Protein backbone atom coordinates (compact mmCIF):
# COMPACT_ATOMS: atom_id res chain seq x y z
CA UNK A 1 0.00 0.00 0.00
CA UNK A 2 1.35 3.37 -1.06
CA UNK A 3 0.23 6.67 0.49
CA UNK A 4 -0.06 9.66 -1.85
CA UNK A 5 -0.50 12.98 -0.03
CA UNK A 6 -3.10 15.43 -1.32
CA UNK A 7 -2.66 19.13 -2.02
CA UNK A 8 -5.79 21.04 -3.07
CA UNK A 9 -5.16 24.43 -4.68
CA UNK A 10 -7.51 27.37 -5.04
CA UNK A 11 -6.22 30.71 -6.35
CA UNK A 12 -2.76 29.19 -6.01
CA UNK A 13 -3.13 28.60 -2.27
CA UNK A 14 -3.49 25.39 -0.27
CA UNK A 15 -7.06 24.79 0.90
CA UNK A 16 -8.89 22.20 3.00
CA UNK A 17 -11.41 20.21 1.00
CA UNK A 18 -14.80 19.36 2.49
CA UNK A 19 -17.18 16.82 0.93
CA UNK A 20 -16.57 18.06 -2.61
CA UNK A 21 -18.37 21.36 -1.89
CA UNK A 22 -15.78 23.68 -3.41
CA UNK A 23 -17.57 26.83 -2.25
CA UNK A 24 -16.80 25.72 1.32
CA UNK A 25 -13.11 24.98 0.78
CA UNK A 26 -11.15 27.32 3.03
CA UNK A 27 -7.49 28.13 3.62
CA UNK A 28 -5.66 25.64 5.82
CA UNK A 29 -5.41 26.93 9.38
CA UNK A 30 -3.56 25.87 12.50
CA UNK A 31 -0.35 24.58 10.91
CA UNK A 32 3.00 26.32 10.35
CA UNK A 33 2.68 25.70 6.61
CA UNK A 34 -0.55 27.68 6.50
CA UNK A 35 -1.83 28.04 2.94
CA UNK A 36 1.64 27.84 1.34
CA UNK A 37 1.56 24.96 -1.19
CA UNK A 38 5.35 24.75 -1.46
CA UNK A 39 5.69 24.41 2.30
CA UNK A 40 3.13 21.60 2.27
CA UNK A 41 4.97 19.87 -0.59
CA UNK A 42 8.16 19.95 1.50
CA UNK A 43 6.37 18.70 4.62
CA UNK A 44 4.81 15.77 2.77
CA UNK A 45 8.15 14.99 1.12
CA UNK A 46 9.91 14.95 4.49
CA UNK A 47 7.20 12.78 6.08
CA UNK A 48 7.51 10.17 3.35
CA UNK A 49 11.30 10.27 3.31
CA UNK A 50 11.35 9.76 7.09
CA UNK A 51 9.11 6.73 6.63
CA UNK A 52 11.58 5.18 4.20
CA UNK A 53 10.07 6.14 0.84
CA UNK A 54 13.03 6.69 -1.52
CA UNK A 55 13.41 9.28 -4.25
CA UNK A 56 10.78 11.86 -5.13
CA UNK A 57 7.46 10.70 -3.62
CA UNK A 58 4.21 11.22 -5.50
CA UNK A 59 2.02 14.18 -4.51
CA UNK A 60 -1.55 14.48 -5.81
CA UNK A 61 -2.37 18.09 -6.71
CA UNK A 62 -5.91 19.20 -7.54
CA UNK A 63 -5.98 22.57 -9.30
CA UNK A 64 -9.55 23.53 -8.47
CA UNK A 65 -9.45 26.67 -10.60
CA UNK A 66 -8.42 24.69 -13.69
CA UNK A 67 -11.02 21.99 -12.97
CA UNK A 68 -13.64 24.75 -13.06
CA UNK A 69 -12.37 26.00 -16.43
CA UNK A 70 -9.66 28.56 -15.64
CA UNK A 71 -6.04 28.33 -16.88
CA UNK A 72 -3.89 25.87 -14.91
CA UNK A 73 -1.20 27.07 -12.49
CA UNK A 74 1.68 25.79 -14.63
CA UNK A 75 4.40 27.84 -12.95
CA UNK A 76 3.27 26.64 -9.54
CA UNK A 77 3.37 23.01 -10.71
CA UNK A 78 6.97 23.55 -11.74
CA UNK A 79 7.79 25.04 -8.34
CA UNK A 80 6.10 22.13 -6.58
CA UNK A 81 8.14 19.65 -8.64
CA UNK A 82 11.22 21.59 -7.54
CA UNK A 83 10.52 20.65 -3.90
CA UNK A 84 11.57 17.05 -4.51
CA UNK A 85 8.17 15.51 -5.19
CA UNK A 86 6.58 13.99 -8.29
CA UNK A 87 3.34 15.90 -8.95
CA UNK A 88 0.29 13.93 -10.07
CA UNK A 89 -1.92 16.78 -11.22
CA UNK A 90 -5.62 17.08 -11.97
CA UNK A 91 -5.87 20.38 -13.83
CA UNK A 92 -9.21 19.90 -15.52
CA UNK A 93 -7.88 18.22 -18.66
CA UNK A 94 -10.53 18.18 -21.35
CA UNK A 95 -8.76 17.41 -24.64
CA UNK A 96 -5.34 16.15 -25.78
CA UNK A 97 -4.28 19.77 -26.36
CA UNK A 98 -4.27 20.32 -22.59
CA UNK A 99 -1.63 17.68 -21.87
CA UNK A 100 1.68 18.95 -23.38
CA UNK A 101 1.90 22.10 -21.26
CA UNK A 102 1.29 20.11 -18.10
CA UNK A 103 4.05 17.64 -18.94
CA UNK A 104 6.41 20.50 -19.83
CA UNK A 105 5.75 22.16 -16.45
CA UNK A 106 7.16 19.20 -14.53
CA UNK A 107 3.99 17.20 -13.94
CA UNK A 108 4.91 13.53 -13.59
CA UNK A 109 1.42 12.08 -14.10
CA UNK A 110 -1.61 13.80 -15.61
CA UNK A 111 -4.85 12.90 -13.85
CA UNK A 112 -7.58 12.88 -16.49
CA UNK A 113 -10.78 13.22 -14.51
CA UNK A 114 -14.18 11.92 -15.59
CA UNK A 115 -15.57 15.26 -14.40
CA UNK A 116 -13.82 17.22 -17.14
CA UNK A 117 -12.51 14.98 -19.94
CA UNK A 118 -14.43 15.43 -23.20
CA UNK A 119 -15.11 11.69 -23.53
CA UNK A 120 -13.52 8.32 -24.25
CA UNK A 121 -11.95 9.50 -27.51
CA UNK A 122 -10.16 12.32 -25.70
CA UNK A 123 -8.90 9.94 -23.01
CA UNK A 124 -7.56 7.52 -25.63
CA UNK A 125 -5.74 10.33 -27.46
CA UNK A 126 -4.22 11.65 -24.21
CA UNK A 127 -2.95 8.19 -23.26
CA UNK A 128 -1.50 7.69 -26.73
CA UNK A 129 0.21 11.08 -26.72
CA UNK A 130 1.60 11.11 -23.18
CA UNK A 131 2.12 7.37 -22.71
CA UNK A 132 0.19 5.13 -20.30
CA UNK A 133 2.68 5.62 -17.44
CA UNK A 134 2.10 9.39 -17.53
CA UNK A 135 -1.71 9.27 -17.36
CA UNK A 136 -4.12 8.34 -14.57
CA UNK A 137 -7.84 8.11 -15.25
CA UNK A 138 -9.84 9.74 -12.45
CA UNK A 139 -13.13 7.93 -11.79
CA UNK A 140 -14.85 10.90 -10.14
CA UNK A 141 -17.87 9.89 -8.06
CA UNK A 142 -20.37 11.53 -5.75
CA UNK A 143 -22.03 9.18 -3.29
CA UNK A 144 -21.02 6.23 -5.40
CA UNK A 145 -22.33 7.53 -8.72
CA UNK A 146 -20.49 9.34 -11.54
CA UNK A 147 -20.03 12.98 -10.63
CA UNK A 148 -21.26 14.10 -14.06
CA UNK A 149 -23.72 12.75 -16.62
CA UNK A 150 -21.89 10.07 -18.60
CA UNK A 151 -24.58 8.35 -20.68
CA UNK A 152 -24.19 10.51 -23.80
CA UNK A 153 -20.39 10.43 -23.95
CA UNK A 154 -19.63 7.01 -22.44
CA UNK A 155 -22.87 5.12 -22.99
CA UNK A 156 -23.08 4.03 -19.35
CA UNK A 157 -23.48 5.42 -15.84
CA UNK A 158 -22.10 2.30 -14.15
CA UNK A 159 -18.77 3.04 -12.39
CA UNK A 160 -17.39 -0.45 -13.00
CA UNK A 161 -18.19 -0.26 -16.71
CA UNK A 162 -16.64 3.22 -16.91
CA UNK A 163 -13.46 1.83 -15.41
CA UNK A 164 -13.44 -1.11 -17.82
CA UNK A 165 -13.78 1.27 -20.77
CA UNK A 166 -10.96 3.48 -19.52
CA UNK A 167 -8.72 0.42 -19.25
CA UNK A 168 -9.72 -0.69 -22.75
CA UNK A 169 -8.68 2.78 -23.95
CA UNK A 170 -5.19 2.29 -22.55
CA UNK A 171 -5.36 3.53 -18.95
CA UNK A 172 -3.04 1.57 -16.67
CA UNK A 173 -3.75 3.63 -13.55
CA UNK A 174 -7.22 4.44 -12.21
CA UNK A 175 -8.03 6.72 -9.29
CA UNK A 176 -11.40 6.10 -7.61
CA UNK A 177 -12.40 9.25 -5.75
CA UNK A 178 -15.77 9.86 -4.09
CA UNK A 179 -15.90 13.63 -3.62
CA UNK A 180 -18.73 13.43 -1.07
CA UNK A 181 -16.30 11.69 1.34
CA UNK A 182 -13.38 14.12 1.02
CA UNK A 183 -12.34 15.66 4.33
CA UNK A 184 -15.06 13.85 6.27
CA UNK A 185 -12.92 11.16 7.91
CA UNK A 186 -15.69 8.62 7.26
CA UNK A 187 -13.67 6.31 5.02
CA UNK A 188 -13.90 6.09 1.25
CA UNK A 189 -16.93 3.81 1.12
CA UNK A 190 -15.67 2.48 -2.21
CA UNK A 191 -14.26 -0.85 -1.06
CA UNK A 192 -16.97 -2.90 -2.86
CA UNK A 193 -16.26 -1.05 -6.11
CA UNK A 194 -12.50 -1.48 -5.63
CA UNK A 195 -13.06 -5.21 -5.19
CA UNK A 196 -15.20 -5.37 -8.33
CA UNK A 197 -12.64 -3.44 -10.38
CA UNK A 198 -9.80 -5.63 -9.14
CA UNK A 199 -11.77 -8.73 -10.18
CA UNK A 200 -12.92 -7.40 -13.56
CA UNK A 201 -9.82 -5.59 -14.82
CA UNK A 202 -6.31 -6.80 -15.71
CA UNK A 203 -4.15 -7.71 -12.68
CA UNK A 204 -1.49 -5.15 -13.62
CA UNK A 205 -3.89 -2.22 -13.17
CA UNK A 206 -2.64 0.36 -10.66
CA UNK A 207 -5.68 1.16 -8.55
CA UNK A 208 -5.82 4.19 -6.24
CA UNK A 209 -8.63 5.10 -3.82
CA UNK A 210 -9.32 8.35 -2.02
CA UNK A 211 -11.82 10.47 -0.19
CA UNK A 212 -12.36 10.21 3.57
CA UNK A 213 -9.28 8.24 4.68
CA UNK A 214 -8.90 8.88 8.41
CA UNK A 215 -6.16 6.48 9.46
CA UNK A 216 -4.59 3.01 9.24
CA UNK A 217 -7.90 1.17 9.54
CA UNK A 218 -9.20 2.74 6.34
CA UNK A 219 -5.95 1.91 4.56
CA UNK A 220 -6.20 -1.64 5.78
CA UNK A 221 -9.70 -2.02 4.35
CA UNK A 222 -8.63 -0.52 1.02
CA UNK A 223 -5.59 -2.76 0.84
CA UNK A 224 -7.68 -5.83 1.51
CA UNK A 225 -10.14 -4.73 -1.18
CA UNK A 226 -7.32 -4.51 -3.72
CA UNK A 227 -6.19 -0.87 -3.83
CA UNK A 228 -2.46 -0.44 -4.34
CA UNK A 229 -2.38 3.18 -3.11
CA UNK A 230 -4.52 5.71 -1.30
CA UNK A 231 -4.88 9.48 -1.43
CA UNK A 232 -4.59 11.03 2.03
CA UNK A 233 -5.05 14.71 2.86
CA UNK A 234 -6.40 15.85 6.22
CA UNK A 235 -5.32 12.69 8.08
CA UNK A 236 -1.70 13.47 7.17
CA UNK A 237 -2.04 17.15 7.98
CA UNK A 238 -3.49 16.60 11.47
CA UNK A 239 -1.49 13.50 12.41
CA UNK A 240 -4.23 10.85 12.41
CA UNK A 241 -1.93 8.96 10.06
CA UNK A 242 1.35 9.06 11.98
CA UNK A 243 4.98 8.72 10.89
CA UNK A 244 4.96 5.28 12.55
CA UNK A 245 2.02 4.26 10.38
CA UNK A 246 3.87 5.46 7.28
CA UNK A 247 6.99 3.53 8.28
CA UNK A 248 4.92 0.36 8.66
CA UNK A 249 3.54 0.88 5.17
CA UNK A 250 6.98 1.54 3.70
CA UNK A 251 8.31 -1.65 5.29
CA UNK A 252 5.55 -3.61 3.60
CA UNK A 253 3.43 -4.54 6.61
CA UNK A 254 1.58 -7.80 5.85
CA UNK A 255 -1.84 -6.11 5.99
CA UNK A 256 -0.86 -3.71 3.21
CA UNK A 257 0.33 -5.91 0.30
CA UNK A 258 0.70 -4.77 -3.28
CA UNK A 259 -1.95 -6.58 -5.33
CA UNK A 260 -0.48 -9.37 -7.51
CA UNK A 261 0.73 -8.26 -10.91
CA UNK A 262 0.83 -4.51 -10.17
CA UNK A 263 3.92 -2.96 -11.72
CA UNK A 264 6.26 -0.52 -10.01
CA UNK A 265 4.78 2.94 -9.72
CA UNK A 266 5.89 5.83 -11.90
CA UNK A 267 7.21 8.83 -10.00
Amino acid sequence: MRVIPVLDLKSGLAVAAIAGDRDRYGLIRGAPEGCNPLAWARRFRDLLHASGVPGAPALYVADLDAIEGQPPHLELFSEIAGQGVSPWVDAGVRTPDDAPNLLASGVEVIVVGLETVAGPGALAAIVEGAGPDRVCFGLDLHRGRPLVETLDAWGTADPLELCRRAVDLGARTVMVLDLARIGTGRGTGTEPLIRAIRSACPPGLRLIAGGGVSGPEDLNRLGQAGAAAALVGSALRDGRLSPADLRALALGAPCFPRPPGVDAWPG
Side-chain angles (χ1 to χ4, degrees):
M1 170 62 72
R2 177 173 182 165
V3 169
I4 301 178
V6 173
L7 182 60
D8 290 302
L9 302 176
K10 195 169 187 178
S11 301
L13 301 174
V15 295
I18 303 174
D21 185 354
R22 291 166 185 155
D23 290 336
R24 296 173 57 202
Y25 289 12
L27 299 178
I28 296 174
R29 311 285 186 186
E33 293 79 8
C35 57
N36 185 335
L38 302 183
W40 281 109
R42 292 191 293 270
R43 176 173 168 180
F44 290 140
R45 175 202 66 198
D46 293 346
L47 272 173
L48 293 175
H49 280 175
S51 73
V53 175
L59 174 65
Y60 171 67
V61 180
D63 184 341
L64 302 172
D65 300 315
I67 290 171
E68 293 180 352
Q70 299 178 41
H73 293 281
L74 298 174
E75 184 175 345
L76 181 54
F77 302 156
S78 180
E79 292 173 345
I80 290 172
Q83 308 308 304
V85 298
S86 294
W88 291 42
V89 175
D90 185 345
V93 168
R94 289 160 175 79
T95 72
D97 293 339
D98 297 327
N101 285 340
L102 291 174
L103 295 173
S105 72
V107 171
E108 181 68 25
V109 174
I110 301 170
V111 179
V112 181
L114 179 66
E115 178 181 3
T116 57
V117 69
L123 174 62
I126 293 166
V127 172
E128 181 179 1
D133 285 338
R134 305 293 300 275
V135 175
C136 171
F137 174 65
L139 183 56
D140 299 319
L141 307 174
H142 187 270
R143 298 184 179 179
R145 304 302 300 167
L147 182 62
V148 294
E149 174 60 53
T150 58
L151 281 173
D152 287 345
W154 293 84
T156 182
D158 179 70
L160 176 57
E161 185 60 29
L162 288 166
C163 184
R164 281 176 170 159
R165 295 189 183 188
V167 171
D168 288 344
L169 294 168
R172 293 179 58 193
T173 307
V174 173
M175 180 181 294
V176 180
L177 181 60
D178 194 318
L179 275 71
R181 296 276 186 148
I182 292 174
T184 66
R186 297 191 292 114
T188 67
T190 54
E191 290 87 353
L193 176 58
I194 297 293
R195 247 181 235 104
I197 292 172
R198 182 56 67 199
S199 296
C201 293
L205 177 69
R206 304 182 184 102
L207 191 53
I208 306 168
V213 171
S214 64
E217 296 82 5
D218 292 318
L219 295 175
N220 191 23
R221 284 192 291 271
L222 289 170
Q224 290 174 343
L231 303 179
V232 185
S234 57
L236 276 179
R237 295 197 305 268
D238 62 23
R240 281 174 290 161
L241 190 65
S242 70
D245 296 325
L246 293 173
R247 282 192 293 273
L249 291 169
L251 290 171
C255 56
F256 299 112
R258 177 189 292 176
V262 174
D263 298 333
W265 289 82

